[in-house]
Amino acid sequence: MGAAWLFPLNPGGEESGLNDAGIEMFRATPGALARETLQNSLDAFTAYPVKVTFELLEVPADDLPGRESMKETIAACRKYMLAPTKGDPDKQEQAGKKFFDNATKLLDQPSVPVLRIRDENTTGLEGGPHDEDSAWYRLIRKKGTTSMHGNKGGTFGVGQRAPFAFSGLRTILYSTRTADRATFIGKSILSTHADAKTKKRQNVGYFGIDRGEDGVFPIEGPVHIPAFARRDAVGTDLYITGFEREGWEREVLWSSLRNFVAAIHEGMLEVSIVRKAGGLLVIRKENLREALTDELKMALAEAKSQTAKDKVDAELGSTLQYLNALEVPANGKPFTRDIEGLGEAKLFVWVNPDASSRVMFARKPRILVNDRTHRTILKGHASVFLCENEHGNKVLAKMEDATHRKWAPDLGYPGSDAILRRVNLFVRDSLESLADDEVPPEHDIEDLGRYLPEEDAPTRSGATGASMPTNASTSDETTRRGQPDGTITVVSPPARPARPKNPVQPAPSSAGAGQGGAAQVPGGPEEGPTIPPNPGNGDGTKDKEGRQEKDGPGRPEGPRRGGERGGDSHDGPRLHESDVRFRSYYNAADAGTRLILVSSEAGTVDLRIFGIGESGRYPLVLEAAHDVGTSGGLAVSGPSVLGVTLEAGKRRELLLKVHGEQKLAISVEVLPHG
């Protein structure tokens, strides 16, 4: 009996439409295609580096297995799903009309675009139709079980759905070669439909050899496998049929760099992309820094807005800093700790005053789970947390959500909350051990509230929520623990080395890294993510009104009033932090932070915005800033709002949109503009 498409009968069973939860989840997840397929290949390694190649093919339509049968099935699905809609356009759209029409069009073309994902130095899909615990059976026949190569990287078993999210035919072909045989099978996830005899068929079907009650078996032997899908070496090929993803080369590159920077750096993975324009791009350990730097530089140059630049910095910029941490960690080696419930874990830390203060959390196969800002008294670092021991990896896998993008205490693993607290404690202790020996004291400006009215009229935007902050925390307002509401924190930073021209690059050697210093390497993108240094604060004396003086390095000397304070190239008066008072609160209606400013003097300043945690403050990344009264936009750069003009005694209210966490307490630094 020849090979054919077979969708099993569905006598009275549950019916299915096109909306598959797993497929839709990955369709909406950036970088999911490369992330899931690369993880599966790494799980099946036989030797390092595992090599994975992405290549877009044009397969002649006549060579596509079971093309005519597939056309008939799609037509049957379309008829069955659209019949109940009775021509209603909205209902037809929900039933999948657009998909069915496009799939039909694809199969009528002379050739069909197919993305091939080929791996090497892997086991291939071992097992078969009779081995229910094998990699082959897990991938082809099972749904909702652990990863196809066992509980190494995957956990929920939904990753097998990722390739289907990118197929215009919802059909994947698998060609695999193990040490003892070569097999080929197709799998399609469509909808319930009726065949020519009006018998209902299930939504999942297979292309292979029909063995009756035993189901569909794979095609075996190279001679019987379609010519375009034959393999010469052990490993697995995935063919995503009807692949029409715009910008896929860039998407695969970003996902590979961001999610697997630690694996590529370790020599565990090589990723190749066959470019449509010609040429082969190979990302390996030896050229990882060059590839990441080039892509960062190009992406920043192409970014059309500050928000877009901030996104590039948050993704590729932070990834380059994580690579710095892996290559030149502080003290020349990672911190290690035996964490109760996990076992040994490592933390690589790169110290630099301009670093993003973010931590990457990863486990086997050195895949990024998530990364986030870590609040600590160490100002400026990039860190990589790794747990690779077998026990710890299994525990963290059970604490992961279905998309492998966070460890959560609410997924049912006993003691997960305590384990995560210990992980965070390890990270915090390690970072704080690298902090400067002398941390300057914080000062609260006296009589702060006298420049702000006790009661405010509603804002002109008409937004709901607290119009002014109080001393209580609510869902709409945030306050800092231990700091009187509305104070400006004046921090005298310790002396720092001059800012390196290219702060995201480490030195070729680890000289100086042992002291937690910022190492450098010539070259690389000058557009990399940077944060301006803190201004100097002088001797901290007070004026006759008891306010903190701020004359010193980076501040003008001279009289304290009006235009007489102007200095060097700046026109008009120069404002000091002691001149400016603020209050802030989160406004739910705006989904942002309202910042209310009143200055005792007129002038134009830059505002540097910090989030405040229990153990210190950290620079935020601003996505946008607007004047509430005029709705006019203000320039932002990293944590700074630029060119804010203040009039003496008049209130100005800004709306800040922050990248990441929104409900947080903030502090403000005032710097001369220009």
Side-chain angles (χ1 to χ4, degrees):
M1 182 178 294
W5 280 101
L6 176 67
F7 289 78
L9 289 170
N10 185 30
E14 184 178 59
E15 297 188 8
S16 300
L18 277 177
N19 294 324
D20 181 283
I23 293 176
E24 295 306 317
M25 177 180 67
F26 288 112
R27 193 193 310 279
T29 304
L33 176 61
R35 180 182 170 91
E36 295 298 325
T37 53
L38 291 175
Q39 176 176 300
N40 282 333
S41 294
L42 280 168
D43 282 347
F45 80 96
T46 55
Y48 289 136
V50 170
K51 299 181 179 181
V52 182
T53 302
F54 294 79
E55 181 178 6
L56 185 61
L57 309 175
E58 285 291 336
V59 177
D62 290 339
D63 293 345
L64 201 66
R67 173 198 178 195
E68 292 302 322
S69 175
M70 177 57 65
K71 286 177 63 176
E72 293 173 2
T73 300
I74 288 175
C77 290
R78 185 184 191 280
K79 179 180 179 180
Y80 191 86
M81 295 304 298
L82 298 187
T85 68
K86 298 179 180 179
D88 185 306
D90 291 336
K91 291 182 179 179
Q92 286 187 333
E93 185 65 26
Q94 294 174 6
K97 181 179 184 298
K98 183 178 180 181
F99 165 80
F100 293 124
D101 290 348
N102 186 63
T104 301
K105 179 181 177 181
L106 282 167
L107 291 172
D108 283 337
Q109 295 177 167
S111 63
V112 178
V114 177
L115 182 70
R116 179 175 65 191
I117 306 175
R118 165 168 288 180
D119 67 28
E120 302 173 58
N121 292 338
T122 63
T123 62
L125 290 175
E126 296 178 311
H130 299 293
D131 186 355
E132 296 185 5
D133 195 40
S134 68
W136 189 95
Y137 203 97
R138 288 171 183 269
L139 177 65
I140 305 301
R141 290 289 177 82
K142 284 191 174 183
K143 175 184 176 182
T145 58
T146 54
S147 72
M148 65 190 199
H149 293 288
N151 189 14
K152 297 177 182 178
T155 51
F156 286 81
V158 297
Q160 58 176 257
R161 288 297 205 250
F164 290 90
F166 303 90
S167 169
L169 300 174
R170 293 278 284 265
T171 299
I172 308 298
L173 308 175
Y174 304 90
S175 180
T176 187
R177 192 181 188 104
T178 62
D180 57 1
R181 62 175 182 162
T183 61
F184 175 89
I185 195 168
K187 183 175 181 178
S188 184
I189 303 177
L190 296 170
S191 68
T192 300
H193 57 281
D195 61 19
K197 298 179 181 179
T198 69
K199 292 184 177 180
K200 291 183 181 180
R201 297 281 175 172
Q202 295 180 23
N203 68 313
V204 179
Y206 301 92
F207 180 85
I209 307 300
D210 184 1
R211 296 290 178 85
E213 293 183 358
D214 290 333
V216 179
F217 276 49
I219 300 169
E220 295 194 30
V223 69
H224 301 296
I225 294 174
F228 73 87
R230 294 172 187 166
R231 284 189 59 99
D232 296 326
V234 172
T236 300
D237 291 348
L238 268 66
Y239 294 86
I240 304 176
T241 64
F243 185 84
E244 298 180 300
R245 184 84 166 186
E246 290 293 331
W248 71 269
E249 295 178 12
R250 198 78 174 275
E251 187 175 341
V252 168
L253 176 59
W254 273 47
S255 182
S256 302
L257 292 172
R258 178 155 170 75
N259 291 298
F260 295 96
V261 62
I264 298 172
H265 168 262
E266 189 66 12
M268 298 167 60
L269 176 66
E270 286 185 10
V271 180
S272 299
I273 301 171
V274 180
R275 290 172 160 167
K276 184 178 181 180
L280 178 68
L281 173 63
V282 182
I283 310 300
R284 56 169 66 96
K285 179 178 181 178
E286 291 76 14
N287 71 342
L288 173 59
R289 173 170 293 280
E290 178 185 1
L292 184 52
T293 301
D294 288 348
E295 186 61 25
L296 173 61
K297 189 173 184 178
M298 184 183 303
L300 285 170
E302 294 175 355
K304 303 300 184 184
S305 66
Q306 187 60 48
T307 299
K309 290 181 183 293
D310 290 342
K311 183 177 185 296
V312 173
D313 278 347
E315 295 190 7
L316 293 184
S318 62
T319 301
L320 186 54
Q321 293 182 9
Y322 298 146
L323 180 58
N324 294 343
L326 293 167
E327 290 187 344
V328 284
N331 300 326
K333 61 182 180 181
F335 293 90
T336 61
R337 179 176 292 183
D338 194 340
I339 298 176
E340 182 182 350
L342 282 186
E344 185 182 77
K346 300 177 182 179
L347 185 73
F348 298 78
V349 184
W350 179 64
V351 179
N352 187 296
D354 294 312
S356 59
S357 295
R358 295 180 69 83
V359 180
M360 167 183 166
F361 293 88
R363 63 173 183 87
K364 277 190 176 181
R366 289 203 165 206
I367 181 174
L368 178 147
V369 176
N370 69 2
D371 67 336
R372 60 183 175 82
T373 301
H374 203 285
R375 306 170 184 179
T376 173
I377 61 174
L378 177 63
K379 303 300 188 295
H381 69 88
S383 307
V384 178
F385 171 90
L386 284 176
C387 181
E388 297 182 283
N389 72 81
E390 289 298 327
H391 172 71
N393 186 65
K394 289 180 180 179
V395 169
L396 291 173
K398 293 175 181 178
M399 293 164 52
E400 231 164 71
D401 71 338
T403 62
H404 313 300
R405 292 185 178 275
K406 68 177 180 178
W407 294 322
D410 55 355
L411 296 178
Y413 185 79
S416 57
D417 190 43
I419 291 173
L420 291 178
R421 285 199 302 270
R422 295 183 197 116
V423 168
N424 288 325
L425 181 62
F426 167 48
V427 172
R428 188 180 69 188
D429 288 349
S430 301
L431 295 177
E432 291 185 352
S433 72
L434 293 171
D436 299 305
D437 293 334
E438 295 184 8
V439 178
E442 295 185 350
H443 305 279
D444 290 331
I445 307 302
E446 298 176 4
D447 300 325
L448 176 70
R450 68 192 181 113
Y451 287 99
L452 294 178
E454 291 298 324
E455 298 179 358
D456 270 344
T459 62
R460 275 179 274 182
S461 65
T464 59
S467 60
M468 282 296 293
T470 67
N471 288 324
S473 295
T474 70
S475 61
D476 293 322
E477 180 180 335
T478 58
T479 59
R480 177 188 176 189
R481 184 192 312 177
Q483 176 179 321
D485 178 54
T487 59
I488 291 181
T489 300
V490 180
V491 180
S492 302
R496 294 284 193 185
R499 186 198 301 186
K501 179 179 180 182
N502 182 19
V504 298
Q505 296 278 18
S509 70
S510 58
Q515 287 74 39
Q520 308 170 48
V521 155
E526 295 184 3
E527 299 90 337
T530 60
I531 296 175
N534 290 335
N537 293 322
D539 59 7
T541 59
K542 295 184 178 181
D543 66 6
K544 63 183 180 180
E545 296 179 12
R547 298 180 300 178
Q548 185 73 22
E549 290 282 354
K550 295 300 298 295
D551 292 332
R555 299 293 186 187
E557 297 180 358
R560 292 282 301 149
R561 285 290 174 262
E564 297 177 348
R565 294 184 306 157
D568 47 75
S569 62
H570 298 276
D571 296 329
R574 297 281 294 273
L575 297 184
H576 292 225
E577 277 161 327
S578 57
D579 295 323
V580 182
R581 310 292 190 252
F582 87 95
R583 289 187 183 179
S584 67
Y585 64 96
Y586 177 78
N587 188 280
D590 297 321
T593 296
R594 293 286 188 97
L595 177 62
I596 303 167
L597 302 157
V598 173
S599 176
S600 60
E601 304 290 342
T604 301
V605 297
D606 294 342
L607 303 175
R608 218 163 164 247
I609 312 299
F610 294 82
I612 300 175
E614 292 184 0
S615 57
R617 66 177 189 165
Y618 55 98
L620 300 174
V621 175
L622 299 178
E623 294 182 349
H626 299 276
D627 184 285
V628 173
T630 65
S631 298
L634 296 169
V636 297
S637 177
S640 299
V641 186
L642 307 177
V644 180
T645 301
L646 301 175
E647 298 182 39
K650 291 189 177 181
R651 154 183 157 149
R652 187 166 188 187
E653 187 168 355
L654 309 182
L655 173 63
L656 307 179
K657 293 299 181 79
V658 179
H659 178 76
E661 182 185 358
Q662 296 291 327
K663 295 186 178 182
L664 38 75
I666 67 171
S667 68
V668 179
E669 253 182 21
V670 178
L671 293 84
H673 177 60

